[in-house]
Amino acid sequence: MRQLLIAGNWKMNHTASETETFCRNFRALGLEDHKVEILLCPPFTSIPAMVSVLDGTPVHVGGQDMCYVESGAFTGAISAAMLADAGCSHVLLGHSERRQFFHEDDANVNLKAKKAIEKGLTPVVCIGETREQREKGVTEKVVRTQLLGALEDLSTEDILKLVIAYEPVWAIGTGLTATPEQAQEVHRYIRDVLAERTDDETAESLRILYGGSAKPSNAEELLSEKDIDGLLIGGASLKVDDFYQMIVTGDKLNS
Ligand code: PEP
């Protein structure tokens, strides 16, 4: 059975001091003995505060992006080694906001995934269609292209180190959630593409998260779907109680 992963993407929210308060309150709720795996991806400047306050808990900390280059003249960028050194174990790659506002493409995500793996980080590769693409009926084509582009030249051994996040762009931060059936249909398709690209065993063992207005009220129905192995949560991960509630929901389903 695939262990559920409940992940939070804070985007550009929470200063370091706000992060410290969040993490103290989060820790006070009890972070040991959960059945799900937990990941939080704060802004870069909040990583040290999060790592320090959550030290000794099983919560993973991740970056929201990284540069595909080792080091050097890339003003404003953060390297994989810097994230790892700061205490991160994961990194989000190819989030739709990175694609939309920072013009990242599949080739870029692929280079980042290779560098992240080389440096021992777990990439969480985000893919998903826009509203127009869904309406045009090209959802499968879009996720297939994004997925295969991100995985280009990766060995099966390396692919096994990834987490995939299916995030329909029209559902991110909009309050519109894909129905569990809509999400399951695409998750199953992604797993089929993974099987084609690798083998059945690899595809069955990889985790595919759903992201897009996930919240306490819809977490259970989404997580109950066969091929949904966790959630990537934006807005609802900013509130300690909401995020914790989704962890507890995951625990119930992962037992
Ligand atoms: C996200 O940022 O990955 C996301 C899914 O955001 P939200 O939950 O706010 O839609």
Side-chain angles (χ1 to χ4, degrees):
M1 187 181 179
R2 298 178 293 265
Q3 186 186 18
L4 295 177
L5 171 59
I6 303 296
N9 170 20
W10 280 5
K11 314 189 187 198
M12 198 170 69
N13 293 292
H14 287 339
T15 61
S17 54
E18 288 163 349
T19 299
E20 212 175 305
T21 305
F22 178 106
C23 291
R24 284 193 204 293
N25 294 336
F26 187 41
R27 193 169 182 152
L29 293 173
L31 298 176
E32 308 303 325
D33 304 324
H34 287 287
K35 298 203 170 67
V36 298
E37 202 172 4
I38 307 166
L39 166 67
L40 270 172
C41 302
F44 295 135
T45 48
S46 285
I47 290 171
M50 183 172 282
V51 167
S52 157
V53 180
L54 298 183
D55 184 38
T57 74
V59 178
H60 300 291
V61 180
Q64 296 176 12
D65 180 42
M66 51 164 265
C67 185
Y68 56 86
V69 175
E70 182 88 20
S71 64
F74 290 85
T75 301
I78 294 281
S79 75
M82 289 169 187
L83 289 179
D85 183 62
C88 290
S89 52
H90 291 64
V91 62
L92 304 181
L93 297 180
H95 190 279
S96 65
E97 288 149 18
R98 299 294 314 172
R99 294 177 191 260
Q100 185 184 350
F101 302 123
F102 301 93
H103 314 295
E104 293 190 6
D105 59 16
D106 299 332
N108 202 263
V109 176
N110 175 244
L111 289 173
K112 292 183 184 197
K114 287 177 184 156
K115 185 55 80 180
I117 291 167
E118 184 191 317
K119 298 296 174 188
L121 295 171
T122 300
V124 179
V125 174
C126 305
I127 58 176
E129 81 288 1
T130 62
R131 181 194 287 272
E132 294 95 69
Q133 290 165 333
R134 177 162 280 264
E135 283 166 359
K136 272 199 220 144
V138 294
T139 297
E140 290 191 351
K141 185 166 174 259
V142 170
V143 297
R144 182 186 188 85
T145 303
Q146 290 178 338
L147 181 61
L148 294 178
L151 304 185
E152 193 148 332
D153 298 329
L154 289 181
S155 65
T156 298
E157 196 189 342
D158 282 344
I159 293 174
L160 276 165
K161 296 175 183 155
L162 303 170
V163 173
I164 308 296
Y166 168 58
E167 300 206 299
V169 180
W170 49 272
I172 298 180
T174 57
L176 294 172
T177 315
T179 63
E181 298 73 28
Q182 279 174 323
Q184 166 59 25
E185 197 182 354
V186 183
H187 279 235
R188 184 64 242 172
Y189 178 72
I190 291 168
R191 209 175 296 287
D192 289 344
V193 176
L194 286 167
E196 241 178 72
R197 171 66 174 78
T198 58
D199 53 77
D200 288 349
E201 202 187 327
T202 302
E204 287 305 318
S205 69
L206 279 165
R207 287 183 295 184
I208 309 172
L209 313 184
Y210 167 80
S213 299
K215 45 188 177 281
S217 59
N218 59 23
E220 181 160 357
E221 55 177 13
L222 287 163
L223 290 172
S224 298
E225 292 293 338
K226 188 171 176 293
D227 290 289
I228 299 184
D229 309 314
L231 300 170
L232 181 53
I233 308 156
S237 72
L238 293 167
K239 296 186 197 119
V240 183
D241 290 339
D242 284 358
F243 188 57
Y244 196 79
Q245 212 179 312
M246 294 164 93
I247 291 168
V248 171
T249 300
D251 283 344
K252 198 170 78 179
L253 296 167
N254 218 163
S255 57

